[in-house]
Amino acid sequence: MTPAFIITGYLGSGKTTLLLNAAREHFSEKRVAVIVNELGEVGVDGKILKNAYSEVLELPEGCICCTIHAEFEKAIRELREKYEPELLMVETSGSAEPFPVMISLQNLGCIIEGVICLIDTKNFHLYSQEDTAKHQIGSSNVLVLNKTDLVDEKTLKQVEDSVVDIWNRYLLRNLFTNEPVFRSFKLYKTSFGKLPPEVFSGVFALQKKLYHLNSETHSHNHAQQVVYFDEPIDYNELLDIINKLPPEVIRLKGILKLKDFPEALVVNYSFGNLDTSYTLPHYEGKSFLVLIQSLN
C-alpha cells in the first residue's frame, strides 16, 4: 500500500513552497511522485516542482474533487505502475476540497498519512468566509499557519482562534453515524511552509476506511486568464502590470524571463503581496502569467 499526503489550502496559501521545502529537507532519499491539480490550461506549480521531484504529473483541466475524478484515479494507477513511488503527494488546487481525493486514494489502496491544510495568516481575513476554505480546514488533521513572519502576535492569535473554531464547526463526519473522521488535529506555525520531520513520519495517518461523508457540493467562483510573453521583460514592467491589476484579480502566478537576469523568475502574487524569491535555472518554456479573478 502506497502512503500518501494531501496538501490543501486556499489560493496563495503556500502549498507549492511547502512541497519544495519538503523535497529538500525530508524526501531527498525517497522516490516521491507528485500529482498537481490546477484549474485552467496552464500548470505553474507542476513546472516548478519538476525541479525538485523526479516524477510530477499535472492535472490542469478541471478539479480533482469533482469534474475530473476519474482522471485523477487513472493518474494514480499509472504512476504506481510505471514509477513505483515510495510516497505519493497530492497538491489540490486552491479551489478544491480534499475529502473526495481522500476517498479515491483509499479506494486505490493508498494509506493517507495526513491531510495538510495551509493557512495564509496574513490574508486569512480576506478569504475566511469562503465555504471552500472552511471545508479545507475541517477536512484536514494537520493545520499549518503559514507566513507567520508577516503578522504580529495578536493577529496570529486571532487567526489561530478562528481556524480552530472553523475546524470544530466544519469537521468532516460520517453521513450515517455522525462520527468525526479525525478525532483531533495538530497545529503548526511556520514561515515558507517549513515543517518538522514528525509531520511526514506517519503519526497523523488516517486509521479508518472512508465510505460516506457528510459534505456539501461546491462551486468554483473564479475565472482565469493567461498572458504569454514572447520576449523577456524588465522587472519594472512586471511591477507595472501588478500595480494596474483590477481589484477582482486575487491571484497572479507564472514564470517570467527578465532582461539582464540569467534565470527564469517564479512570480507569486496574492492579496497585494508579491513574491519573486524562487528561480528556475533551466526553464526553456515561454514566459507567462496566470491571472485568477474572483467572480463574487
Side-chain angles (χ1 to χ4, degrees):
M1 299 180 76
T2 308
F5 286 93
I6 300 171
I7 313 298
T8 188
Y10 204 67
L11 296 163
S13 57
K15 298 183 292 296
T16 304
T17 302
L18 181 147
L19 281 168
L20 288 169
N21 285 321
R24 296 189 189 103
E25 298 175 12
H26 307 299
F27 303 137
S28 59
E29 303 299 323
K30 281 191 173 184
R31 293 193 311 277
V32 182
V34 181
I35 293 181
V36 180
N37 177 221
E38 294 192 79
L39 297 179
E41 65 200 37
V42 178
V44 182
D45 296 350
K47 292 178 175 61
I48 298 170
L49 290 169
K50 283 175 182 175
N51 285 261
Y53 291 92
S54 52
E55 191 69 27
V56 178
L57 183 63
E58 297 177 78
L59 295 178
E61 291 293 342
C63 174
I64 57 177
C65 72
C66 48
T67 58
I68 59 167
H69 207 52
E71 287 86 345
F72 172 61
E73 294 191 358
K74 179 183 177 183
I76 294 176
R77 291 191 188 96
E78 291 179 353
L79 274 178
R80 293 170 70 181
E81 290 173 3
K82 296 178 181 178
Y83 183 59
E84 297 183 354
E86 298 174 80
L87 181 66
L88 182 66
M89 306 286 281
V90 181
E91 179 195 338
T92 69
S93 78
S95 300
E97 297 170 14
F99 48 84
V101 180
M102 297 162 65
I103 294 176
S104 284
L105 288 171
Q106 282 196 337
N107 288 342
L108 293 169
C110 295
I111 302 171
I112 299 174
E113 296 283 283
V115 184
I116 303 172
C117 182
L118 275 288
I119 295 104
D120 180 348
T121 54
K122 186 177 189 302
N123 300 298
F124 185 64
H125 65 287
L126 297 175
Y127 69 84
S128 60
Q129 299 306 309
E130 295 281 348
D131 285 340
T132 297
K134 293 175 182 178
H135 285 294
Q136 288 171 344
I137 292 170
S139 301
S140 303
N141 66 336
V142 179
L143 304 177
V144 181
L145 302 185
N146 198 25
K147 306 183 185 181
T148 57
D149 57 315
L150 303 178
V151 298
D152 55 30
E153 287 298 323
K154 180 181 178 181
T155 301
L156 182 58
K157 184 63 168 63
Q158 290 172 343
V159 173
E160 179 180 353
D161 291 344
S162 179
V163 167
V164 171
D165 178 64
I166 290 172
W167 188 87
N168 283 295
R169 288 190 291 118
Y170 285 81
L171 178 60
L172 197 61
R173 295 179 179 274
N174 184 292
L175 179 62
F176 297 117
T177 67
N178 205 38
E179 287 292 313
V181 171
F182 297 119
R183 295 290 179 180
S184 62
F185 65 88
K186 183 73 173 180
L187 186 140
Y188 294 90
K189 303 172 186 178
T190 187
S191 299
F192 309 106
K194 293 186 177 181
L195 292 174
E198 69 178 69
V199 176
F200 304 102
S201 66
V203 296
F204 303 115
L206 180 60
Q207 303 298 327
K208 61 179 69 176
K209 180 73 175 177
L210 303 175
Y211 295 100
H212 301 281
L213 299 178
N214 187 13
S215 61
E216 299 177 3
T217 58
H218 74 286
S219 59
H220 300 291
N221 298 315
H222 304 102
Q224 176 177 280
Q225 177 185 358
V226 183
V227 180
Y228 293 95
F229 300 84
D230 293 326
E231 301 292 337
I233 68 171
D234 289 320
Y235 188 77
N236 287 334
E237 290 181 67
L238 170 63
L239 296 180
D240 190 52
I241 291 171
I242 291 173
N243 289 333
K244 292 179 178 178
L245 287 175
E248 59 269 21
V249 174
I250 60 173
R251 182 88 163 95
L252 180 147
K253 56 183 179 177
I255 302 173
L256 281 183
K257 296 175 183 175
L258 299 181
K259 294 178 181 177
D260 303 319
F261 197 77
E263 300 175 349
L265 196 69
V266 176
V267 178
N268 269 302
Y269 171 86
S270 60
F271 300 107
N273 300 294
L274 175 63
D275 178 15
T276 56
S277 58
Y278 191 76
T279 61
L280 294 179
H282 306 295
Y283 180 71
E284 298 294 337
K286 263 193 172 184
S287 292
F288 67 93
L289 292 174
V290 179
L291 289 75
I292 300 174
Q293 174 182 337
S294 173
L295 298 179
N296 291 330

